[in-house]
Amino acid sequence: MTANSRAGKGTGLRPHVWKSGTDPQRHEQYTQWLRQRAQANYRKEVWDLSFDDFVEIWGQDWCHRGRASEDLCMTRDDYDQPWHKTNVDIVPRHEHVRRSWVVKFARGQTGRKNKRKPLA
């Protein structure tokens, strides 16, 4: 059994039916765009970022995204504004975590009993 097929089902990857086209990277970007949009919806955040805007914002940085401290992620500049192409930025993950901690601390949403001062 290969990574691109399932035993006994007779089907594997079907790029000819992907909404994003047959390019695997664009398909991965589309999947991540759907996931981020769903997560924003779950957090009751306004999502005003089209798929084409999403791809344009990431540009050549797409291959550097991830979950490590120095990997890149998308964050909002102003957490009170919607996800929009004028309000998002690609930053290292440690910077995103620092920004979100400052905002949560200012809003009193840290959930900690002994609150520390933010690292601003």
Side-chain angles (χ1 to χ4, degrees):
M1 180 167 67
T2 65
N4 294 337
S5 66
R6 295 178 295 177
K9 298 294 181 187
T11 61
L13 293 178
R14 300 177 358 167
H16 62 282
V17 297
W18 291 345
K19 290 183 180 182
S20 58
T22 58
D23 180 25
Q25 179 176 329
R26 191 160 172 88
H27 179 64
E28 181 185 2
Q29 289 173 324
Y30 185 71
T31 302
Q32 292 304 318
W33 174 76
L34 288 174
R35 287 179 179 168
Q36 278 192 262
R37 186 178 71 171
Q39 186 64 38
N41 185 43
Y42 176 77
R43 292 189 305 249
K44 297 181 177 29
E45 300 167 350
V46 178
W47 181 268
D48 189 21
L49 196 59
S50 71
F51 174 62
D52 291 329
D53 291 337
F54 181 83
V55 171
E56 181 182 331
I57 290 165
W58 274 102
Q60 298 299 320
D61 292 331
W62 181 256
C63 60
H64 300 293
R65 66 183 186 82
R67 299 185 69 178
S69 176
E70 293 300 321
D71 289 340
L72 299 177
C73 68
M74 182 182 287
T75 189
R76 289 182 291 168
D77 293 328
D78 183 355
Y79 283 78
D80 295 324
Q81 298 297 317
W83 288 89
H84 187 267
K85 64 182 178 180
T86 60
N87 190 40
V88 296
D89 197 14
I90 304 298
V91 298
R93 187 167 169 80
H94 65 84
E95 174 65 18
H96 164 70
V97 171
R98 188 193 66 78
R99 284 185 190 184
S100 63
W101 174 255
V102 169
V103 171
K104 287 179 182 179
F105 184 83
R107 293 179 178 175
Q109 298 173 339
T110 59
R112 295 180 57 137
K113 293 181 180 178
N114 56 350
K115 296 179 182 175
R116 302 181 312 191
K117 292 183 181 181
L119 301 173

